C-alpha cells in the first residue's frame, strides 16, 4: 500500500492547517487557541466524541469503526511551540514575537487531524481510535498530565503510538527501534556563592567565575571517566551567568545545563557524580553552592510487539527499503515516554528531509511529509483494528 490517494488529496488542505498553526504558535499549556482549532476540526469531521481539557488543555477525539469490537488504540500528536524567535523568512512565519514552531508540532498536529478526517470518513476498522492532541511537550510534562488525568482509563486505550519528524531522514522514509529510542533529559542549575571584590585584587575574593570555569570542564569527567563507555551519557553546560562589568569580580555565578542518559543506573551515577564534583571543587576554593537537579521524563522506550506493528504499517506505506528498523537512539528527550510507561506502544520518526535542525530558528516542518504521515496513521489503525 503506497501513500493513500485520499491522503494525497488532503495534502493541500492539511498544509493550510499546518501553516495556520505555524503562524500562531502557543507554548506549554497555553495552547487554548490551538486546542480550540483542533476541537473545531474534529467536530467538523464528525468525530464521535470530542473532549477538551484533558491534562489542562489537551484534546481527545474518539472515532468508532464500522465493525464490531471494543479495542481502542491511541494516536498522539503534540501541539506546543517553543520560546524562540523565527528567522525562516517564510510567508507563514510566526506572527507572535518570541514564539515559533521550531520542532514541527504544527506538522504533527496537522497530520493527525488529516488522519482523523480520513478515518471519520471511512471507518474501515473494528473498535475505536482515540486521537490525542497533547499540550506542553517542550518541558512541561503534558503527556504525564494527560495520563494522570485518567486519559487511558477514561477512553479505554490499550495501545498508544507517537510520531515525530526528523531532519536528516529523507522524505518518504521512517525510522524506529525497539527499546530506548530517546533519552531521559534531566536539567540542573548550579549557583556558586563566592565573595566579590576588585578585579585588581583577586586574592581578596573568592572568585565564582574561576570556580565555575573549573566546573564546566570537570563535569565532562562524568562521561569521560565515570560512566561505562558502552552506556551513553551527555553532560552539557549551556549557560553561564556572572558579573556586570570588566573590573568587578562578582559574588555569584550561575551555571545551567542538561544531563542525558539511556538507562536508570547511568542516570543515578550522573546525578551523584555531578553533586560530588560541584561540592568538592566549591569547597576546595572556600565557596558554597546550591544545586537544583530536576529529573524530567524517563527514557522513551518502545515495546517490542508494538514496534513490529509500527514497522509493518510504515513498510506498507513506503516499502521496506525506506524503513530503518534499528535507528540509532537519540539523546534528545520526549515526554511521550510517560504514555509508553502507561500503555504498550511505539514512537517512530518520519523523515523531514534536508532541513535545519529541530529547535533552530531556521527550522520549518516540510509539508511534503504530510501525506506520508497521514498514510502511516491510517494504515496502523486499519492493521491494529482489523479483527
Amino acid at each position: 500500500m503506497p501513500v493513500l490517494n485520499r491522503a494525497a488529496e488532503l495534502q493541500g488542505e492539511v498544509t493550510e492547517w499546518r501553516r495556520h498553526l505555524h503562524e500562531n504558535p502557543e507554548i506549554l499549556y497555553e495552547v487554548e487557541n490551538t486546542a480550540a482549532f483542533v476541537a473545531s476540526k474534529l467536530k467538523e469531521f464528525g468525530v464521535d466524541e470530542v473532549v477538551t481539557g484533558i491534562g489542562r488543555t489537551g484534546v481527545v477525539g474518539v472515532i468508532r469503526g464500522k465493525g464490531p469490537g471494543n479495542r481502542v488504540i491511541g494516536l498522539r500528536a503534540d501541539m506546543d511551540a517553543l520560546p524562540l524567535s523565527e528567522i525562516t523568512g517564510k510567508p507563514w512565519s510566526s506572527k507572535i514575537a518570541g514564539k515559533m514552531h521550531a520542532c514541527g508540532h504544527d506538522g504533527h498536529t496537522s497530520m493527525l487531524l488529516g488522519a482523523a478526517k480520513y478515518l471519520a470518513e471511512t471507518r474501515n476498522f473494528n473498535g475505536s481510535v482515540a486521537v490525542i492532541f497533547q499540550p506542553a511537550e517542550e518541558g512541561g510534562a503534558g503527556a504525564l498530565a494527560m495520563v494522570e488525568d485518567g486519559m487511558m482509563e477514561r477512553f479505554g486505550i490499550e495501545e498508544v503510538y507517537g510520531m515525530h519528524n526528523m531532519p536528516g531522514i529523507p522524505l518518504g522514509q521512517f525510522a524506529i527501534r525497539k527499546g530506548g529510542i530517546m533519552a531521559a533529559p534531566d536539567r540542573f542549575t548550579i549557583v556558586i556563592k563566592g565573595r566579590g571584590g576588585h578585579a585588581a585584587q583577586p586574592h581578596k575574593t573568592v572568585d565564582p567565575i574561576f570556580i565555575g570555569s573549573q566546573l564546566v570542564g570537570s563535569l565532562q569527567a562524568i562521561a569521560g571517566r565515570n560512566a561505562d563507555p558502552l552506556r551513553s551519557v551527555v553532560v552539557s553546560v549551556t549557560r553561564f551567568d556572572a558579573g556586570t562589568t570588566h573590573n568587578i569580580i562578582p559574588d555569584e555565578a550561575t551555571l545551567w545545563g542538561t544531563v542525558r542518559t539511556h538507562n536508570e543506573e547511568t542516570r543515578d551515577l550522573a546525578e551523584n557524580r555531578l553533586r560530588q564534583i560541584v561540592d568538592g571543587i566549591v569547597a576546595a576554593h572556600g565557596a558554597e553552592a546550591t544545586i537544583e537537579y530536576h529529573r524530567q521524563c524517563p527514557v522513551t522506550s518502545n515495546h517490542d510487539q508494538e514496534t513490529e506493528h509500527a514497522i509493518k504499517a510504515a513498510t506498507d506505506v513506503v516499502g521496506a527499503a525506506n524503513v530503518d528498523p534499528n535507528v540509532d537512539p537519540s539523546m534528545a528527550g520526549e515526554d511521550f515516554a510517560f504514555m509508553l510507561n502507561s500503555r504498550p506502544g511505539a514512537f517512530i520518526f518520519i523523515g523531514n528531509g534536508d532541513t535545519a535542525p529541530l529547535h533552530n530558528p531556521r527550522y520549518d516542518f516540510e509539508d511534503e511529509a504530510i501525506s506520508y504521515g497521514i498514510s502511516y496513521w491510517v494504515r496502523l489503525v486499519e492493521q491494529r483494528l482489523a479483527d
Side-chain angles (χ1 to χ4, degrees):
M1 173 186 172
V3 167
L4 295 164
N5 289 336
R6 182 63 176 134
E9 292 171 3
L10 288 169
Q11 173 81 31
E13 183 179 11
V14 178
T15 296
E16 289 180 8
W17 303 341
R18 203 283 296 183
R19 294 180 180 180
H20 165 77
L21 294 174
H22 191 90
E23 287 181 314
N24 299 280
E26 298 175 297
I27 63 174
L28 293 173
Y29 289 97
E30 299 171 1
V31 292
E32 288 87 357
N33 293 329
T34 304
F37 178 87
V38 166
S40 175
K41 289 296 179 187
L42 294 176
K43 291 173 183 176
E44 178 187 314
F45 304 157
V47 169
D48 298 287
E49 186 178 359
V50 179
V51 182
T52 59
I54 305 295
R56 293 169 58 179
T57 48
V59 181
V60 177
V62 178
I63 308 167
R64 300 185 181 95
K66 289 178 182 176
N70 298 316
R71 295 189 60 242
V72 183
I73 67 169
L75 313 178
R76 174 271 204 171
D78 34 19
M79 298 187 290
D80 58 320
L82 283 158
L84 196 64
S85 296
E86 182 167 357
I87 58 172
T88 64
K90 298 288 181 66
W92 52 86
S93 292
S94 172
K95 295 177 179 178
I96 303 175
K99 298 179 185 179
M100 73 168 288
H101 273 292
C103 202
H105 297 186
D106 50 341
H108 304 163
T109 295
S110 299
M111 289 189 292
L112 188 53
L113 280 174
K117 181 169 186 174
Y118 179 98
L119 292 167
E121 288 173 351
T122 59
R123 300 180 186 264
N124 291 325
F125 54 92
N126 301 316
S128 299
V129 179
V131 286
I132 302 163
F133 296 87
Q134 179 205 310
E137 190 279 327
E138 297 290 357
L144 179 62
M146 296 189 85
V147 169
E148 290 184 338
D149 215 1
M151 176 183 69
M152 299 300 185
E153 296 79 13
R154 177 172 179 173
F155 299 102
I157 297 169
E158 300 172 19
E159 299 173 14
V160 65
Y161 296 86
M163 177 165 55
H164 202 294
N165 81 95
M166 189 57 66
I169 296 177
L171 286 164
Q173 294 189 16
F174 291 87
I176 195 170
R177 67 178 291 114
K178 294 178 180 178
I181 189 168
M182 298 189 77
D186 300 333
R187 63 187 182 190
F188 61 84
T189 305
I190 303 164
V191 180
I192 305 159
K193 299 178 181 179
R195 184 175 66 250
H198 201 295
Q201 297 176 314
H203 60 292
K204 294 182 179 181
T205 72
V206 177
D207 185 350
I209 295 177
F210 177 68
I211 297 167
S213 66
Q214 292 188 55
L215 285 176
V216 172
S218 295
L219 289 175
Q220 297 311 307
I222 296 171
R225 287 297 179 268
N226 301 141
D228 183 335
L230 298 179
R231 293 187 172 183
S232 300
V233 57
V234 170
V235 181
S236 293
V237 175
T238 56
R239 181 175 169 185
F240 191 143
D241 284 358
T244 57
T245 189
H246 64 281
N247 62 348
I248 298 173
I249 292 173
D251 286 324
E252 290 188 359
T254 304
L255 308 183
W256 282 259
T258 185
V259 175
R260 307 295 176 114
T261 53
H262 268 280
N263 84 26
E264 287 299 313
E265 182 180 346
T266 306
R267 195 180 194 184
D268 291 340
L269 169 79
E271 179 180 353
N272 291 336
R273 287 297 294 140
L274 181 143
R275 293 182 181 277
Q276 292 166 356
I277 290 167
V278 171
D279 289 345
I281 289 177
V282 167
H285 291 281
E288 296 179 351
T290 59
I291 303 168
E292 292 182 6
Y293 195 99
H294 299 282
R295 294 197 174 201
Q296 299 190 98
C297 59
V299 174
T300 304
S301 187
N302 284 336
H303 298 251
D304 287 358
Q305 186 173 353
E306 287 67 30
T307 301
E308 291 291 347
H309 299 324
I311 291 170
K312 186 174 188 302
T315 299
D316 282 357
V317 175
V318 297
N322 291 309
V323 180
D324 181 352
N326 194 31
V327 67
D328 289 339
S330 168
M331 297 307 287
E334 167 58 63
D335 80 346
F336 187 66
F338 289 116
M339 293 192 187
L340 289 177
N341 281 3
S342 176
R343 293 292 186 273
F347 192 71
I348 196 168
F349 297 136
I350 183 172
N352 202 58
D354 185 19
T355 65
L358 302 174
H359 292 219
N360 184 288
R362 294 178 177 81
Y363 167 86
D364 190 26
F365 180 83
E366 177 51 69
D367 290 319
E368 289 184 32
I370 286 171
S371 59
Y372 296 106
I374 293 173
S375 298
Y376 167 77
W377 282 136
V378 169
R379 191 60 184 142
L380 181 64
V381 168
E382 292 179 348
Q383 285 180 358
R384 295 304 303 132
L385 298 177
D387 299 325

